[in-house]
Amino acid sequence: MPLLSVSDLTVTFDDFTAVDSVDFTIEPGETLGVVGESGSGKSVTALSIMRLIEMGTRAKITRGRVELEMPDGSTLDLLDQDEPTMRSIRGNQIAMIFQEPLTSLNPVYPVGEQIAEALRIHEGSSRKASMARAREMFDLVRIPEADKRIGQYPHEMSGGMRQRIMIAIGLCCGPRLLIADEPTTALDVTIQAQILGLIKQLQVETGTAMMLITHDMGVIAEVADRVVVMNQAKIVEQGPVEQIFHSPRESYTRGLLSAVPKLGSMAGHDGPRPFNLAGDLA
Ligand SMILES: Nc1ncnc2c1ncn2[C@@H]1O[C@H](COP(=O)(O)OP(=O)(O)OP(=O)(O)O)[C@@H](O)[C@H]1O
Ligand SMILES: [Mg+2]
């Protein structure tokens, strides 16, 4: 029984179809990688699952089902739920982390308070209990000197630290699914590797399933169990990560894979050469 089952999901902006008849499932504890070039519909898919896409935009979810298996074994179609129900699902069942942690954090509150507040809202914990748990979350996401850092403001932290805070907020209420939309793209390469390593480790420790959105096939190879490949609002291919890498069925997927720089591929060149996905496929 999948944890999440998305079927025929279709999302439009006025006349434009941003997500077209998308079907996929996520099993408990599994990492589903979602790849595809800019504008292919990855974020719109994620925001639709969270029922955040129609807020403040002209988006309409015109068709489909997003079925979540609840802890009691029942199934909820998230597309049929009212906003109060969705608010309790967000955080408690499904959490989401975004690319740029600075825009998701409140600049005027210390980071520890922000984790504690998430706990109070979702779990109704007391102030004391939630601060103690926030302190534990600092250890979980491997932030050193937790006692000092818990009182810092977002601007006092590095990008990597801020993303650790976002991961802590995402995981603090024990969601069964974490949706991470380009969680490391805004970070420099060495920090990207650390954050990805952390996400992967926490996922094993906590058993949380993950939908990981990225442009980066290298990241997919590192962390995904299965892969969904999107192009122009549609899923063009999906399968286990080994199959996608070793025997991709679609030329589009082969194009994405050929765009992954190979070690030593710059030998004899002064700088990176631009690649052309369409040209590479021709
Ligand atoms: N708020 C919006 N209003 C109008 N169109 C939108 C809006 N958000 C997304 N779109 C359009 O929907 C399509 C899918 O966008 P989406 O953000 O899902 O792409 P993406 O795959 O996440 O790309 P990226 O890799 O650049 O993040 C794009 O054509 C985009 O322009
Ligand atoms: Mg996106």
Side-chain angles (χ1 to χ4, degrees):
M1 179 78 177
L3 175 61
L4 188 82
S5 178
V6 173
S7 21
D8 198 26
L9 180 68
T10 302
V11 186
T12 60
F13 290 95
D14 300 318
D15 289 340
F16 172 75
T17 304
V19 170
D20 191 355
S21 320
V22 156
D23 295 296
F24 63 87
T25 58
I26 303 177
E27 300 296 324
E30 170 180 66
T31 297
L32 180 74
V34 180
V35 284
E37 64 195 271
S38 195
S40 54
K42 305 180 299 293
S43 295
V44 170
T45 300
L47 292 167
S48 301
I49 293 169
M50 295 294 277
R51 292 283 307 282
L52 294 170
I53 190 67
E54 289 169 320
M55 290 181 175
T57 70
R58 300 173 70 89
K60 275 261 163 315
I61 301 176
T62 53
R63 279 204 316 269
R65 291 193 304 281
V66 175
E67 288 161 317
L68 178 70
E69 198 206 353
M70 298 300 284
D72 67 4
S74 65
T75 301
L76 279 191
D77 185 347
L78 300 186
L79 301 187
D80 286 341
Q81 305 308 312
D82 57 15
E83 184 51 26
T85 309
M86 282 314 299
R87 247 179 254 138
S88 77
I89 301 252
R90 294 185 204 115
N92 290 324
Q93 303 297 330
I94 310 180
M96 187 160 174
I97 51 179
F98 299 91
Q99 178 170 343
E100 183 29 81
L102 205 50
T103 54
S104 317
L105 287 166
N106 189 329
V108 303
Y109 288 103
V111 289
E113 289 286 344
Q114 298 189 49
I115 302 175
E117 186 185 79
L119 286 159
R120 287 198 290 273
I121 291 172
H122 289 284
E123 302 192 332
S125 332
S126 70
R127 202 191 138 70
K128 194 158 171 238
S130 64
M131 280 311 283
R133 180 93 180 98
R135 171 73 179 70
E136 284 171 25
M137 292 307 293
F138 270 67
D139 293 338
L140 183 78
V141 297
R142 282 70 160 174
I143 294 180
E145 302 175 278
D147 293 323
K148 179 181 115 195
R149 298 220 174 249
I150 201 162
Q152 287 187 330
Y153 291 86
H155 71 267
E156 297 179 278
M157 303 191 118
S158 66
M161 287 289 170
R162 287 197 286 261
Q163 196 57 298
R164 284 171 199 264
I165 298 291
M166 289 314 299
I167 294 168
I169 292 174
L171 292 177
C172 70
C173 301
R176 291 181 304 142
L177 174 64
L178 180 67
I179 301 180
D181 190 353
E182 307 266 5
T184 59
T185 316
L187 306 172
D188 73 48
V189 178
T190 47
I191 308 295
Q192 282 187 15
Q194 283 177 16
I195 295 289
L196 273 177
L198 173 71
I199 291 177
K200 204 171 145 182
Q201 229 173 336
L202 291 179
Q203 203 198 353
V204 174
E205 284 171 28
T206 58
T208 312
M210 179 160 68
M211 173 174 167
L212 177 67
I213 300 174
T214 177
H215 288 101
D216 188 336
M217 289 303 264
V219 167
I220 293 291
E222 287 285 313
V223 296
D225 300 307
R226 277 189 316 116
V227 185
V228 159
V229 183
M230 289 190 72
N231 184 28
Q232 294 182 0
K234 288 192 158 80
I235 293 182
V236 292
E237 175 161 17
Q238 60 178 306
V241 66
E242 302 80 18
Q243 185 221 305
I244 296 290
F245 274 78
H246 295 131
S247 45
R249 292 203 185 95
E250 295 297 321
S251 59
Y252 181 78
T253 310
R254 286 197 289 275
L256 286 180
L257 287 167
S258 71
V260 178
K262 293 189 183 56
L263 204 60
S265 62
M266 271 184 55
H269 298 280
D270 296 336
R273 287 168 301 167
F275 57 78
N276 175 340
L277 202 55
D280 286 347
L281 295 173

